[in-house]
């Protein structure tokens, strides 16, 4: 019954595709939005649309208050020590690029960065761009079951390692990485740790103090918020090691024609007019997630993943990637069916109203490790049901018939 109520909060789930109920299985790309969040965007534009941190009139004060309140909600949500540790950005990609420009720019040619082969391009390309400065990049490999080779990890870390940048949960394999252990390894060796938490913060309880991370990146649109807003968490002491990201309005204290001084963080890193309605709406998305409860989110998705792994593994010709056990993975399942190209599979599924993603999911190095150019991927959120999984399996069996598998 409660699930029915939750599904009712997401107006888009009533959509029909080709006359059939839409089965949305692409929440890893972006989640759907509850009406409670959509309503707040409308409310901002209809009632108090104005810029933040400048006007002294009533609605400008309201906008600033709501914007800063959202920052507080997010800080509490990930158990940051203070809202000062929350920087609003466009999404996980911009968050990681902020670390690259504001923190990693000072690295020297002999320094090293360690990442892993399972990363999203957003957590590879910014570091590749540092290669021209002579920074060495090392990537930890994966085992056959899609878990990280932790022994190799330990061997790769040297006194030259300045940053370890690793995903909390893989957007393809679903692997939940041992991030607490990795943070400990980083700190024991004097390196900073960055978690790409785009696929964890929306789906499970995440506590930045417990994980002891220095940087954490995530996107609002994957956690019931709108597109165009995301978060970089920075441990307060690390701000000492950072320079501004972009220069402009909002981030300055004083400007002269010869020099300028900066505001304190987090404002130092928020140049220009931010995505005000986006930040406010993300605050309400966090309220919505907290009302459900992150433990419950995790449990629901685990139950679905377990059910899906069991059902999918019975489909003849299927190859599923990542850990076999639902206990060790998030609600993401990548697979291939016989020699059907993932795009063809997604097209046939779409005809039956089942929306999955296909392609390399912005993880080309991982796909080359897996020996394929593309995979099909189903991913879950709180609004998905066992019936959705059954529809997926039925649609795959129809695809088998079409392709004679
Ligand atoms: N990191 C991970 C682990 C991701 O899954 C994604 C997006 C990003 C970073 C980038 O997030 P953005 O909001 O800045 O674009 N992942 C996906 C996906 O799996 N399918 O579409 C987008």
């Amino acid at each position: 019954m409660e699930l029915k109520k939750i599904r009712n909060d997401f107006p888009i789930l009533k959509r029909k595709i080709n006359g059939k109920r839409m089965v949305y299985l692409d929440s890893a790309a972006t989640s759907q939005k509850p009406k409670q969040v959509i309503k707040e965007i409308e409310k901002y534009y209809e009632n108090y649309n104005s810029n933040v941190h400048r006007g002294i009139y009533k609605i400008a004060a309201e906008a600033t208050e709501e914007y800063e309140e959202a920052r507080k909600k997010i800080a509490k949500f990930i158990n940051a020590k203070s809202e000062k540790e929350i920087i609003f950005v466009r999404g996980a990609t911009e968050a990681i690029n902020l670390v690259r420009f504001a923190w990693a720019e000072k690295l020297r040619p002999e320094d090293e960065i360690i990442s892993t082969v399972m990363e999203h391009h957003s957590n590879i390309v910014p570091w590749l761009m540092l290669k021209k400065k002579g920074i060495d990049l090392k990537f930890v490999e994966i085992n056959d079951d899609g878990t990280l080779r932790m022994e190799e990890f330990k061997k790769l870390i040297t006194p030259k390692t300045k940053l370890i940048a690793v995903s909390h949960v893989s957007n393809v394999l679903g692997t939940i990485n041992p991030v607490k252990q990795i943070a400990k390894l980083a700190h024991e060796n004097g390196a900073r740790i960055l978690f790409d938490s785009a696929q964890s913060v929306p789906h499970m309880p995440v506590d930045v103090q417990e994980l002891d991370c220095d940087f954490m990146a995530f996107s609002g649109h994957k956690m019931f918020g709108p597109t165009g807003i995301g978060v970089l968490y920075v441990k307060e002491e690390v701000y000492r090691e950072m320079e501004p990201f972009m220069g402009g309005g909002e981030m300055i204290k004083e400007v002269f024609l010869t020099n300028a001084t900066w505001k304190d963080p987090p404002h130092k890193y928020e140049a220009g007019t931010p995505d005000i309605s986006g930040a406010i709406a993300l605050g309400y998305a966090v309220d919505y997630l907290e009302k459900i409860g992150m433990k419950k989110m995790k449990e629901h998705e685990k139950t679905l993943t377990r059910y899906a792994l069991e059902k999918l593994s019975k489909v003849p010709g299927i190859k599923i990637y990542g850990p076999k056990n639902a206990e060790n993975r998030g609600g993401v399942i990548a697979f291939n069916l016989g020699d059907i190209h993932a795009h063809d599979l997604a097209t046939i599924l779409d005809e039956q109203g089942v929306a999955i993603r296909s392609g390399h999911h912005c993880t080309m190095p991982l796909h080359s490790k897996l020996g394929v150019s593309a995979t099909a991927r189903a991913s879950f959120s709180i609004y998905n049901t066992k019936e959705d999984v059954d529809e997926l399996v039925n649609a795959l069996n129809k695809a088998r018939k079409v392709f004679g598998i």
Side-chain angles (χ1 to χ4, degrees):
M1 256 335 264
E2 203 185 349
L3 187 54
K4 206 169 164 197
K5 198 164 151 275
I6 289 171
R7 284 184 61 87
N8 252 329
D9 286 337
F10 292 80
I12 207 169
L13 297 180
K14 295 190 179 67
R15 273 244 14 206
K16 294 253 188 303
I17 305 289
N18 300 327
K20 298 195 174 97
R21 176 176 81 89
M22 179 177 75
V23 175
Y24 186 74
L25 296 174
D26 198 18
S27 293
T30 197
S31 73
Q32 295 305 344
K33 324 296 174 201
K35 56 185 183 229
Q36 288 86 339
V37 170
I38 301 169
K39 188 187 79 194
E40 290 298 334
I41 299 172
E42 202 175 273
K43 199 166 140 194
Y44 166 77
Y45 284 113
E46 288 188 350
N47 287 289
Y48 61 101
N49 170 47
S50 48
N51 216 322
V52 288
H53 295 300
R54 37 200 105 184
I56 48 166
Y57 48 90
K58 178 77 178 150
I59 60 170
E62 282 174 14
T64 303
E65 201 175 302
E66 283 279 349
Y67 180 74
E68 290 304 325
E69 186 56 33
R71 199 192 303 276
K72 285 184 193 148
K73 287 179 189 175
I74 293 157
K76 193 169 147 273
F77 184 60
I78 58 168
N79 196 29
K81 269 193 186 148
S82 147
E83 69 271 16
K84 286 186 209 146
E85 298 178 319
I86 305 298
I87 302 172
F88 283 124
V89 289
R90 279 192 301 140
T93 303
E94 188 173 295
I96 297 170
N97 277 276
L98 199 160
V99 177
R100 176 249 185 273
F101 283 101
W103 184 85
E105 194 60 25
K106 66 175 168 40
L107 294 184
R108 291 196 302 264
E110 66 270 26
D111 292 335
E112 290 172 358
I113 294 176
I114 298 180
S115 191
T116 85
V117 299
M118 70 165 75
E119 301 307 309
H120 187 280
H121 294 163
S122 296
N123 200 21
I124 295 180
V125 183
W127 315 127
L128 281 179
M129 288 170 164
L130 283 172
K131 274 191 117 171
K132 66 174 187 289
K133 283 165 65 88
I135 311 291
D136 211 9
L137 260 180
K138 292 173 177 172
F139 294 97
V140 180
E141 297 282 340
I142 50 170
N143 298 307
D144 289 345
D145 65 353
T147 55
L148 283 178
R149 288 195 191 154
M150 289 307 291
E151 284 313 309
E152 192 178 305
F153 218 131
K154 288 174 201 161
K155 284 190 200 133
L156 285 183
I157 303 176
T158 72
K160 289 180 184 172
T161 309
K162 293 293 179 290
L163 178 72
I164 296 180
V166 54
S167 51
H168 192 167
V169 174
S170 158
N171 68 321
V172 174
L173 303 166
T175 317
I176 303 174
N177 288 319
V179 280
K180 203 171 163 180
Q181 190 188 342
I182 297 170
K184 195 159 172 274
L185 277 176
H187 292 143
E188 279 168 1
N189 290 278
R192 291 290 178 200
I193 181 86
L194 178 151
F195 292 139
D196 174 353
S197 295
Q199 300 293 348
S200 60
V201 168
H203 304 284
M204 58 181 70
V206 171
D207 181 331
V208 287
Q209 291 191 61
E210 196 216 332
L211 299 179
D212 194 20
C213 65
D214 301 309
F215 303 106
M216 181 176 281
F218 52 99
S219 299
H221 70 93
K222 294 187 199 285
M223 51 193 281
F224 304 161
T227 51
I229 190 76
V231 171
L232 175 67
Y233 159 84
V234 181
K235 193 193 276 171
E236 199 171 354
E237 65 180 59
V238 181
Y239 278 136
R240 285 199 297 269
E241 302 167 14
M242 290 168 67
E243 291 296 321
F245 172 38
M246 292 192 284
E250 262 315 286
M251 49 76 76
I252 52 88
K253 206 176 264 169
E254 282 184 306
V255 179
F256 310 96
L257 291 179
T258 47
N259 66 305
T261 55
W262 322 130
K263 269 190 188 156
D264 290 332
H267 306 288
K268 182 176 171 181
Y269 303 99
E270 292 180 6
T273 299
D275 181 354
I276 304 167
S277 68
I280 293 170
L282 180 56
Y284 285 94
V286 162
D287 286 348
Y288 189 85
L289 283 165
E290 284 192 326
K291 209 172 92 207
I292 292 170
M294 294 313 289
K295 276 193 185 144
K296 208 157 154 195
M297 292 277 297
K298 188 178 174 186
E299 269 322 302
H300 176 76
E301 290 175 28
K302 200 170 281 281
T303 306
L304 268 188
T305 306
R306 196 179 297 123
Y307 181 74
L309 284 173
E310 190 193 310
K311 292 272 168 179
L312 286 172
S313 61
K314 290 189 185 126
V315 175
I318 202 163
K319 174 156 179 54
I320 299 172
Y321 303 92
K324 295 280 169 284
N325 189 337
E327 297 312 309
N328 306 329
R329 61 189 296 160
V332 173
I333 304 178
F335 55 89
N336 269 311
L337 186 56
D339 56 4
I340 310 175
H341 192 281
H343 286 328
D344 294 331
L345 199 54
T347 306
I348 294 184
L349 264 57
D350 181 47
E351 281 164 13
Q352 298 166 69
V354 179
I356 60 159
R357 206 191 144 174
S358 55
H360 54 63
H361 319 295
C362 297
T363 57
M364 287 174 97
L366 172 63
H367 276 73
S368 104
K369 294 281 164 195
L370 297 174
V372 288
S373 61
T375 53
R377 182 190 70 182
S379 55
F380 309 122
S381 186
I382 189 75
Y383 39 67
N384 289 115
T385 60
K386 285 188 173 170
E387 289 73 45
D388 290 349
V389 175
D390 294 341
E391 294 278 348
L392 168 69
V393 172
N394 288 342
L396 287 175
N397 281 326
K398 279 195 187 149
R400 277 180 46 234
K401 283 197 190 116
V402 173
F403 283 89
I405 291 174

